[in-house]
Amino acid sequence: MTENVISLHKPTDPPTGADAPTVLTVVPDPAPARPVPLWVRSGRAIKAAVTHEHTKTGARAVARHGLYVVGGARIVTRRAWDGRTTARYERYMRAAEAAGNMDQAAEWEERAARFREARHRRRMDLLHSPVDAARSVAVGTGMGIGGLVALGVVLAIANKDVTDVVTPLMAVIEFINLMVTIVQVVWGPLVSVGPFLALLALWAVGSKQHAAPAWVMPANARSSEGEPITPSIVVKALRDLGVPALRNAIKEMGDAGASMLGPIRIAGCGVEVDVTLPSGVSTNEVQTRRRKLAENLTRHEHEVFITIPEAARTVRLWIADSGALDQPIGPSPLVTDETMTADYKKGKAPWGQDLRGDAAALSLYQRHLLITGLSNQGKTASLRALVLWALLDKTVEVRLADLKGGDWVMVDGLATVLIQGPTDEHVIKATEMVEGVVDEMNRRIEDRQFDPNMEFSPLICVVDEAQVAFMCPVKDDLGQQYGGSKATSRYFMAVRKIHNQGRAVNVLMWQGTQDPTDQNLPKLVREGAHTRASLALGTESQARMALGDKAVDGGAAPNLLRPGLDQGTLVVASSGIDIPKGQSSITVRTHYISHDEAAAIADRAKALRDGVTTLRAVERGPDRDALADIAAVLGDEKRVLTQDVIKRLGVLDADMYGRWSFGDLTRVLEVAGVEAKKSHGRMVVRAEDISRALADRDTDGSASA
């Protein structure tokens, strides 16, 4: 029973006056805490002790060393069995058969037959060995005793003591007695210690081979990050890949699964190995399991690359050292070598390093170029490195449109045309720039007809962020769209013309785009490029757009690059770069050139030239009224053949109409509401229709081309 405490105190707000009453308050004692039962405290203590990290570590150590003995016994038994039977030869035979190598399988079968024959001879010899051994012992014993007696006779004659005749024989008997005594003394302890020595030997074998499950290994041993790649690790990774045919074939091979592997070669910041797959396993089954293979090899997905070499049923694995691809590569030779110049025809642009650490250089000679990827992955920097190198050849002319703006300021004074900005007006200027390049290409083609040996200086038309041009909805006065991918799309058709004929006269088209689709990168345009490079992409379908089906089927996988982490890493498909034999693409880690470094390189390029005036837009000729010009060339005739109308327009203004086709004439007529009609089976333009269209246009106050 608890006692109450009486406290004397004044109220918080006492009444005024000196005789304030004293208040008596009874404060009960708090109830005492309920004691925790002993069994609960003991259980908690036991749980804490059992789950403590030291306890877990000790338990793993005990289990590990015990399992070392079990694993060592299994290994020793396997070795003994292999040594006494033909099991090893049979495994090698199955491995050769699984790999489709029948000659090697026949060789192992022959070796197994020789082993069985030799073993049979040994066993037959054992049947006769007791008789032979008894005969040998009898003969040996007789000769030994006779020899000892003869030796004793010699000693007796020498010492003149007849007892010396048996002295050698007695010495041998005493020696044998000593050996028996020693064995009797040692045998007991040896029998007691022998099993422990045997267990120690098994433990040594098991610990050396790490013959214990991963869960009992120490933390530093369980973490295999950065573990060196060995044949056994590669075979195990392939076995656990989840391909039943591959797993079963490797199980039949046993330890001989390594026969699938070629030599493991050091290749840059990793290793490379060719794997010949067993019959029934396709290379595609391995390619599609890249992530699982990488994890089986204790690597991240981006640290394993799978390509298809020239040999049939073979995959080539390149496995990076752990973390090596996250380290930056060195600066570009364009930055470090201030004396470097370029040779467009014979030289190669230093672009970066391949995965083997070798320098990756690209030939630009007569090759159209396409670089694509997701936004902010290094597309402009990669393209800029090639342009800067090309500008170090003073014979190269560059006309450039940057449909984003701000990334190409350094080429002002180097490029003969420089357009910068993302608006529709900039797209119009860029389109006119590309069309101007087409005009120059056609002029060169005409000159080549008069002199087939004529050489032309390189002209490179560069459009960065080309997807802006393809997606532009603006139409010109004739109703032709600047963007799009139709036969009436001006930018698209100009690029196609350069792709078709530009290479022969050293006119090249280079484009950089982002996030490719069929709308912003039409099929005919992307397949017209000789060099196709891709940074990180989102899907395999985009990878096929960027590089083509052949490269992707051969192992190219820009969609597996890590956005934001693999910036500047390109997968390249081109005949202008050295690609290992049998592969269709190569992965390149490009050098990054900052804006300041790019400006310094541009200054060196300017020093090689006499001075270039950079235009901000392509100069346009005076605007002409195409419909009025058609009326003028018709004259007083009521109807004129369409081909004659085109010829007369060409005479009137060769710059504007000299390259017109029937389609150009038809588009102008359609805008004016006039239709070319047939007369005697041939298309004609009637003067009456043109006059009415002009009158209607003037009445409506509408402007026409």
Side-chain angles (χ1 to χ4, degrees):
M1 179 174 171
T2 60
E3 297 181 355
N4 293 331
V5 179
I6 299 177
S7 62
L8 301 176
H9 64 85
K10 291 184 178 182
T12 305
D13 297 319
T16 58
D19 299 331
T22 301
V23 180
L24 300 178
T25 304
V26 179
V27 181
D29 285 343
R34 185 175 181 179
V36 179
L38 179 61
W39 66 270
V40 174
R41 294 199 302 271
S42 301
R44 291 174 181 173
I46 293 172
K47 180 180 179 181
V50 170
T51 58
H52 195 275
E53 186 61 31
H54 290 180
T55 305
K56 294 180 180 179
T57 303
R60 280 198 299 266
V62 172
R64 179 171 65 252
H65 292 292
L67 290 172
Y68 278 163
V69 175
V70 176
R74 186 177 64 252
I75 293 172
V76 170
T77 303
R78 180 69 174 271
R79 290 175 180 174
W81 178 257
D82 286 347
R84 299 292 298 176
T85 67
T86 59
R88 178 185 291 111
Y89 299 96
E90 291 175 0
R91 285 200 306 274
Y92 290 159
M93 219 179 336
R94 288 194 298 269
E97 289 174 351
N101 192 338
M102 295 299 110
D103 292 338
Q104 190 174 21
E107 181 181 350
W108 284 115
E109 185 177 10
E110 183 181 351
R111 292 187 181 184
R114 290 201 299 266
F115 174 84
R116 284 192 291 267
E117 183 181 356
R119 184 180 60 186
H120 177 71
R121 285 199 303 268
R122 289 195 300 272
R123 289 176 176 175
M124 295 303 295
D125 291 341
L126 287 175
L127 296 177
H128 304 287
S129 58
V131 177
D132 295 338
R135 185 181 299 113
S136 299
V137 169
V139 173
T141 303
M143 294 180 62
I145 294 175
L148 292 174
V149 171
L151 180 60
V153 171
V154 173
L155 288 174
I157 294 172
N159 296 329
K160 298 179 180 180
D161 186 356
V162 71
T163 60
D164 286 343
V165 173
V166 295
T167 297
L169 187 59
M170 293 305 297
V172 172
I173 293 173
E174 290 176 0
F175 176 75
I176 294 174
N177 182 54
L178 177 62
M179 292 297 102
V180 171
T181 302
I182 293 175
V183 169
Q184 288 176 342
V185 172
V186 174
W187 182 254
L190 187 62
V191 170
S192 302
V193 178
F196 295 100
L197 294 177
L199 291 176
L200 181 61
L202 295 177
W203 175 89
V205 173
S207 63
K208 185 177 181 180
Q209 298 293 329
H210 300 287
W215 62 271
V216 300
M217 301 299 288
N220 58 349
R222 292 198 307 273
S223 176
S224 53
E225 190 75 17
E227 185 178 359
I229 299 299
T230 62
S232 60
I233 289 176
V234 176
V235 170
K236 184 178 179 183
L238 293 170
R239 184 194 68 193
D240 299 336
L241 201 54
V243 182
L246 180 59
R247 181 180 64 249
N248 295 336
I250 293 176
K251 282 184 177 179
E252 291 181 359
M253 297 177 194
D255 291 341
S259 63
M260 298 189 305
L261 309 183
I264 297 180
R265 304 176 295 273
I266 295 177
C269 57
V271 297
E272 186 178 72
V273 58
D274 287 351
V275 181
T276 302
L277 300 176
S279 178
V281 181
S282 69
T283 56
N284 183 59
E285 291 178 287
V286 177
Q287 279 185 295
T288 55
R289 291 168 171 82
R290 176 184 172 187
R291 173 176 294 182
K292 190 169 186 179
L293 178 62
E295 292 171 350
N296 290 348
L297 292 167
T298 66
R299 296 294 190 271
H300 297 291
E301 183 179 12
H302 71 277
E303 294 176 327
V304 174
F305 288 81
I306 306 172
T307 55
I308 309 300
E310 194 172 27
R313 211 172 67 242
T314 301
V315 293
R316 178 168 294 161
L317 307 181
W318 185 85
I319 307 160
D321 297 336
S322 184
L325 294 183
D326 296 327
Q327 303 299 320
I329 64 174
S332 170
L334 289 172
V335 176
T336 58
D337 186 359
E338 296 183 356
T339 63
M340 175 178 284
T341 58
D343 186 341
Y344 160 79
K345 186 173 183 179
K346 299 180 180 179
K348 289 188 175 183
W351 212 7
Q353 294 180 359
D354 62 18
L355 296 178
R356 296 164 183 80
D358 299 328
L362 179 68
S363 172
L364 309 179
Y365 179 63
Q366 294 187 346
R367 288 179 174 88
H368 302 305
L369 175 71
L370 173 65
I371 299 179
T372 187
L374 298 178
S375 177
N376 195 33
Q377 298 304 308
K379 167 181 55 63
T380 297
S382 302
L383 181 59
R384 189 169 58 203
L386 300 178
V387 173
L388 289 173
W389 181 85
L391 287 170
L392 290 175
D393 184 341
K394 61 182 181 180
T395 66
V396 174
E397 177 188 354
V398 172
R399 302 182 188 181
L400 192 147
D402 175 14
L403 297 180
K404 180 173 67 174
D407 290 330
W408 295 88
V409 179
M410 73 290 300
V411 301
D412 191 357
L414 284 172
T416 53
V417 178
L418 178 60
I419 299 165
Q420 299 183 89
T423 67
D424 291 340
E425 181 62 27
H426 291 103
V427 172
I428 293 172
K429 292 179 180 180
T431 302
E432 292 172 347
M433 178 193 77
V434 179
E435 290 175 338
V437 173
V438 173
D439 292 338
E440 172 62 19
M441 176 190 73
N442 290 332
R443 184 191 65 78
R444 293 184 178 192
I445 292 174
E446 290 180 357
D447 293 342
R448 179 68 64 81
Q449 293 176 355
F450 295 101
D451 184 2
N453 297 322
M454 182 176 292
E455 295 291 336
F456 301 101
S457 59
L459 171 58
I460 303 176
C461 179
V462 182
V463 179
D464 195 10
E465 307 296 343
Q467 76 279 354
V468 178
F470 285 113
M471 299 301 291
C472 179
V474 177
K475 295 183 179 181
D476 62 12
D477 295 336
L478 299 179
Q480 294 179 274
Q481 186 177 343
Y482 285 95
S485 57
K486 298 180 180 179
T488 58
S489 302
R490 291 179 59 177
Y491 180 81
F492 169 76
M493 291 305 298
V495 172
R496 286 291 299 139
K497 290 174 182 177
I498 297 175
H499 280 174
N500 289 338
Q501 297 178 305
R503 177 176 174 272
V505 289
N506 265 347
V507 176
L508 304 180
M509 187 72 208
W510 291 3
Q511 295 181 97
T513 71
Q514 69 179 32
D515 201 8
T517 65
D518 283 328
Q519 289 71 40
N520 65 24
L521 187 59
K523 177 180 176 65
L524 292 177
V525 170
R526 61 184 185 245
E527 292 189 351
H530 303 101
T531 295
R532 301 168 71 173
S534 176
L535 296 125
L537 289 173
T539 64
E540 182 180 324
S541 62
Q542 287 185 315
R544 292 184 181 276
M545 291 181 191
L547 300 176
D549 291 337
K550 180 180 179 181
V552 175
D553 291 338
N559 53 302
L560 297 181
L561 295 174
R562 301 167 299 166
L565 297 177
D566 290 325
Q567 288 182 324
T569 300
L570 286 162
V571 182
V572 184
S574 172
S575 60
I577 195 169
D578 292 334
I579 297 178
K581 188 175 181 181
Q583 295 181 203
S584 56
S585 65
I586 188 171
T587 302
V588 176
R589 303 172 69 199
T590 58
H591 298 293
Y592 175 71
I593 300 176
S594 67
H595 279 267
D596 293 339
E597 293 168 340
I601 298 170
D603 291 339
R604 284 161 36 202
K606 292 174 184 177
L608 298 174
R609 301 166 187 256
D610 296 331
V612 176
T613 301
T614 299
L615 301 178
R616 298 294 183 265
V618 179
E619 296 181 357
R620 308 180 190 180
D623 292 335
R624 298 191 65 97
D625 188 337
L627 193 60
D629 287 342
I630 293 173
V633 299
L634 290 178
D636 298 331
E637 299 180 57
K638 292 184 178 181
R639 62 177 62 88
V640 177
L641 295 174
T642 54
Q643 293 298 325
D644 292 339
V645 173
I646 294 171
K647 290 179 181 178
R648 294 177 186 183
L649 288 172
V651 173
L652 178 65
D653 189 336
D655 291 336
M656 181 170 181
Y657 304 118
R659 303 188 186 281
W660 262 34
S661 64
F662 176 74
D664 297 314
L665 176 62
T666 302
R667 281 189 291 273
V668 173
L669 295 177
E670 287 177 351
V671 172
V674 177
E675 181 181 358
K677 298 181 179 180
K678 284 188 177 182
S679 176
H680 302 288
R682 302 183 69 182
M683 301 299 294
V684 297
V685 178
R686 298 191 304 178
E688 179 185 356
D689 296 337
I690 301 299
S691 299
R692 184 173 61 253
L694 286 171
D696 293 342
R697 186 186 66 180
D698 294 338
T699 300
D700 297 338
S702 60
S704 179

